[in-house]
Amino acid sequence: TERYADYLSAGMSTFVTLFRPEVIIIGGGISHAGQILLDLLNEKLLENTFAANEIGVPRVVIAGLGNDAGLIGAAYLGLHGI
């Protein structure tokens, strides 16, 4: 889990440096990892983000819909013809 958090936080840190989001929401299968992964990601994101103390680092949280977000979104699009 720690190696996975290292790789994921490395990618997230680039995203944070470029776009400076207020929060990073993860969903899908990764959301099943729970609080252990969230704690690691929040810690490693702070370590890996360039100028983290100056630009701030967003919290990483789990999406409220978890792994069902894609399915619900597809159903919505299907129902509304978008």
Side-chain angles (χ1 to χ4, degrees):
T1 303
E2 189 157 342
R3 185 184 303 191
Y4 183 76
D6 282 333
Y7 294 142
L8 187 56
S9 67
M12 287 177 164
S13 68
T14 300
F15 180 81
V16 168
T17 302
L18 292 173
F19 299 107
R20 298 194 183 164
E22 292 182 25
V23 65
I24 296 175
I25 303 169
I26 57 173
I30 190 174
S31 64
H32 293 295
Q35 195 62 43
I36 293 171
L37 182 60
L38 282 183
D39 292 343
L40 278 170
L41 284 175
N42 282 302
E43 174 188 326
K44 293 186 177 293
L45 192 59
L46 184 60
E47 292 173 11
N48 293 334
T49 301
F50 176 75
N53 293 329
E54 286 78 21
I55 67 171
V57 176
R59 285 181 310 123
V60 180
V61 299
I62 293 177
L65 297 175
N67 198 29
D68 295 333
L71 180 64
I72 292 169
Y76 179 85
L77 291 175
L79 289 173
H80 297 284
I82 296 174

